[in-house]
Amino acid sequence: MDATERKAATAGAGDGARAGSVALSVVVPAYNEEARLRPTLDAIRAHLRADPDRWGEWELIVVDDGSTDGTAAIAAEAAAHEPRIQLLRSDGNHGKGHALRQGVLASHGRRVLVTDADLATPIDELDRLDKQLTADGDGAAIGSRAHPDASIEVRQLALREWLGRLGNRLIRLVAVDGISDTQCGFKLFDGERARAAFAESRLDGWSIDVEILRHFRRSGWPVTEVPVRWAHQPGSKVRPLDYGKVLLELARLRAGERTADRTADQAADGTADRADGRRPRGLRGPRGLRRTDLAVAGLFLLVSLFLYKGLWADLDHAYLADAGSDQNQWEWFFRVTADNVVHLRNPLFTTLQNFPDGVNLMANTVMLGLSVPLTPVTLVFGPTVTWALVLTLGLTATAISWYRLFARRLVRDRRAAALGAALAAFAPPMMSHANAHPNFLVLFMIPVIIDRALRLCVRPGAGVGAGATDEDIEDPDGEAEGRRVLRDGVLLGLFVTYQIFLGEEPLLLAVMGMLLFALAYAVVRRDVARAALRPLLLGLGYALQVCLPLLAFPLYWQFFGPQSYHSVLHGDNAGNSPLAFLEFSGRALLGDETTADALAMNRTEQNAFYGWPLIALAFGIVVWLWRLAVVRALAFTAVAAALLSMGPKIRIPFTDVVLTGPWRALAHQPLFESVIESRVAMICAPALGALVALAADRLAAHRAEAEANADAADVDTPDADAYTDTESGEPEPGDRARARWRRHRLVGLAAVAAALIPIVPTALPVRDRPDVPQFIADGMYRAYVSEGESVVPVPLPDPGSAEALHWQSATGLGFSVPGGYFNGPWGKERMGIYGAPARYTSNLLRDVRYSGQAPVIGANWRAQARFDLAFWRAGVVVLAPQANDAALYETVEKLLGRPGKRIGGVWIWDLPPTGGAGAVRTG
């Protein structure tokens, strides 16, 4: 900044009274505008004075950019009659960018309107921009003549229009794409963000608005195009050669940004020193916050490590206490995938489990998107290390991904984004699945998919423009926007494809949440929905063209390949009770296991349990911020997801009343029939996280506003009457104003803390896992099992007890087992079930294990056992030490007609060759 700009910046920053009280600043750059300036100033003043309740205290800043006519005199005369009009003068003609920067930096308004001196867009169009900016919350609302609802009352000459379109196309190609009208000189900004952006600007010419709104885009601040009335005014200052100058300025801007990015990276990494030899404290803008981002990521990692500290403390023996058989299952998935990759076998099928029929791995949650790239880790360190890494780093990555989405799309304050992301990633339902279901915990691609979908709906920067009498440039033919939609659609398709290989059900739930949000937002903001519909549908079409070829074979294998199935039986009581939303989960800081267990299917399916304080807080936030369209859409999404999660029948607590739930319409539809409906409540986690982030962001913003208000109360100016004591009517002293705002902020923060502290997750408990029997660990089984035969554990592994899967994964998958823990078909209708279809012998052994009673065994049972063992191609039957093993030994002895042999810490029954040598181990 030069001396003139520094003086303007000092004025804008130093006048605390005005900074706290001015609602609107209007900045008009002017160069040789004596013929048009006075009518413009009169029109602006008349419009703002006509509705004092709406506009409150305002100021109108005219920046004379070295005019050689009577422009300055006209502005000075207007200022003499209206104290709220100010005149700033440059020492020469530096350009529109210089003039705007000088005016904006001298402004004090909570909002800043920049408009051309010709007022080609009438001042009453300010109402539209103000309404839009209020709905968006902050950012910028810019006038657009290319919007379908815009009105062009007087058009330019055909040649000027053609030049304008060509120039705009080139500008978009170099600097911004996807913007319908970059040049309309009528733009309304959030004041604080405008002053920050102009303070960072460097360009002095026509490209200033491109630079400013490009700054908004890079900062993740919303910018929306608003349709306006516009009429061409004679006397335009833009000449054909000016477009070449604009392109040169933008080229210099891009080069400068790349240099600044490298400098920011060095500063963020602590590698760049200041001139005085000290390390820099940080840079402004999104890259300047790299240290904050790294600190947030580090905090998320520490939280994840704390949650899994018991697991990491003893990877050889620790087993998550609430995991059931899932830890054994997932370690087996990681190990079998690595084995298939190394031996170049089909990664979508294996017969190592459920021998000899096998398991359709694509139809199970194998997470090929992680298990395949982590193959080296699994082979070198073992599947337990892979399991621990996936849980810990996957949870961390998910939190970071939500943080990036919230910081980029939702809020300005990084701390607010971190708080919301923490709730989205570490919410009680997520912590329930953290025990056993990494496919519902590792969701880092979901925010990425949401962000890419939003890119299709919202134009980049939502309308970056460049101003003065730049209305000579109108909407181009949309070629750049077409390229953007193609790029974003292709990326969306790739992201969705990858998520398919991480977890299909979480993706389905995410799509449900996005549809609920989009429906609500479209109702509230029909104009945005209309503008977004075409690029969104086009982008989704591109995404499908990418997805379908990549997924055609895997999905065919999943739904029509060996051991495929349709639907999954979960029972009739899989919905959430309304009470589950009000209680705390069993592993929450203030939770009670007994209460939570009574309201959930099991400890890995506590899919609600947000607690009544958080529900109350969310209600309060919605009431407080109801004017924001995003808040209304988030509220609808959370409520709708909660209702759907209650299942087809909703029982009203403490009554006999049962209502039909909305899930009934989806319960038997394709894909939805396999969903555990209580999991739909997981959609509430990011919705609640977003609401909390918005509230925290507003509280942080109010802190700065409170300081400005207190400064206003400290001085005796006409602006101070906006801050009066509600009882006496006298101006409040600054200290009292600060104390009042501090109390309001503390109350808000206390409410957030009271809602979140009860559901803070505690470290996940672990137990000792049984050692692998020596008979298996030392490979003794190989002497009893020929190729094509199986090891038959007693009882057979099933979803309730799958320790045999650990035997396999811990010893290199040297043998197959019948039964197992997986999803597979049952019956002629191929209904999906957990585990292998029951056989008489497997049911008998399971019943003995749980009852401890050996039944009477007759000839029929012995014949059935021989038949089942032949089906399983059993080479050896193995009974390891366990509960009720004496009854199990007696039963097997009677079934086989001979005693077992004790070897390697287990009882075994060696069986004659089955003739199954031609069978294959895996697909």
Side-chain angles (χ1 to χ4, degrees), residues 481-493:
E481 180 173 356
R483 291 194 301 272
R484 176 185 65 81
V485 171
L486 173 61
R487 179 196 64 214
D488 290 338
V490 169
L491 288 174
L492 179 62

Side-chain angles (χ1 to χ4, degrees), residues 23-81:
L24 175 69
S25 297
V26 181
V27 178
V28 180
Y31 175 68
N32 290 344
E33 294 286 358
E34 64 178 357
R36 302 189 291 192
L37 183 60
R38 188 54 188 258
T40 293
L41 299 181
D42 291 343
I44 295 174
R45 181 178 60 176
H47 182 77
L48 298 180
R49 293 177 66 178
D51 192 358
D53 291 337
R54 177 172 186 177
W55 302 115
E57 184 67 21
W58 53 269
E59 63 181 1
L60 198 166
I61 302 173
V62 179
V63 185
D64 175 30
D65 189 33
S67 300
T68 58
D69 62 0
T71 297
I74 291 173
E77 181 183 359
H81 291 86

Side-chain angles (χ1 to χ4, degrees), residues 599-617:
L599 294 171
M601 296 174 61
N602 55 64
R603 290 186 179 177
T604 67
E605 294 291 347
Q606 294 179 359
N607 293 310
F609 298 92
Y610 294 100
W612 66 265
L614 180 57
I615 302 300
L617 175 67

Side-chain angles (χ1 to χ4, degrees), residues 385-401:
V385 173
T386 304
W387 162 253
L389 281 174
V390 167
L391 292 174
T392 307
L393 298 184
L395 178 57
T396 302
T398 301
I400 293 172
S401 190

Side-chain angles (χ1 to χ4, degrees), residues 258-341:
R258 286 192 291 269
T259 301
D261 288 346
R262 288 193 295 269
T263 303
D265 289 339
Q266 292 175 342
D269 295 336
T271 59
D273 293 334
R274 292 192 338 195
D276 58 7
R278 293 180 293 172
R279 291 290 185 185
R281 295 182 61 186
L283 301 178
R284 300 174 68 174
R287 288 186 176 268
L289 293 174
R290 184 68 59 82
R291 287 181 176 177
T292 300
D293 298 341
L294 290 176
V296 170
L299 180 61
F300 288 153
L301 177 59
L302 290 176
V303 173
S304 300
L305 288 171
F306 166 76
L307 293 172
Y308 290 109
K309 65 177 183 177
L311 183 61
W312 284 104
D314 189 1
L315 290 172
D316 291 332
H317 301 96
Y319 192 95
L320 293 174
D322 294 335
S325 295
D326 288 79
Q327 181 170 336
N328 286 329
Q329 181 196 47
W330 278 98
E331 290 178 4
W332 186 89
F333 281 155
F334 293 136
R335 187 62 182 84
V336 78
T337 299
D339 188 69
N340 282 335
V341 169

Side-chain angles (χ1 to χ4, degrees), residues 17 29 121 338 428 432 525 570:
T121 300
S432 174
R525 294 294 309 279
H570 297 302

Side-chain angles (χ1 to χ4, degrees), residues 679-812:
R679 292 176 175 175
V680 180
M682 298 174 71
I683 296 173
C684 300
L688 292 172
L691 288 173
V692 170
L694 283 167
D697 187 60
R698 288 302 185 272
L699 290 173
H702 285 177
R703 179 182 182 181
E705 184 178 351
E707 292 299 326
N709 292 341
D711 290 340
D714 279 335
V715 296
D716 185 15
T717 69
D719 303 327
D721 59 7
Y723 306 95
T724 59
D725 188 275
T726 55
E727 296 179 359
S728 66
E730 296 297 326
E732 282 189 310
D735 290 342
R736 291 182 59 192
R738 290 187 184 92
R740 182 185 60 185
W741 282 94
R742 190 177 295 113
R743 286 196 299 271
H744 292 170
R745 182 170 177 269
L746 288 177
V747 169
L749 293 177
V752 172
L756 298 183
I757 289 176
I759 60 173
V760 168
T762 57
L764 302 180
V766 297
R767 61 173 173 83
D768 288 336
R769 74 188 316 170
D771 291 329
V772 177
Q774 183 184 1
F775 178 77
I776 300 294
D778 292 351
M780 299 178 183
Y781 67 86
R782 293 189 180 93
Y784 302 90
V785 181
S786 302
E787 183 180 357
E789 294 183 331
S790 68
V791 171
V792 179
V794 178
L796 272 67
D798 61 20
S801 177
E803 194 59 34
L805 302 187
H806 179 225
W807 299 355
Q808 290 180 296
S809 62
T811 58

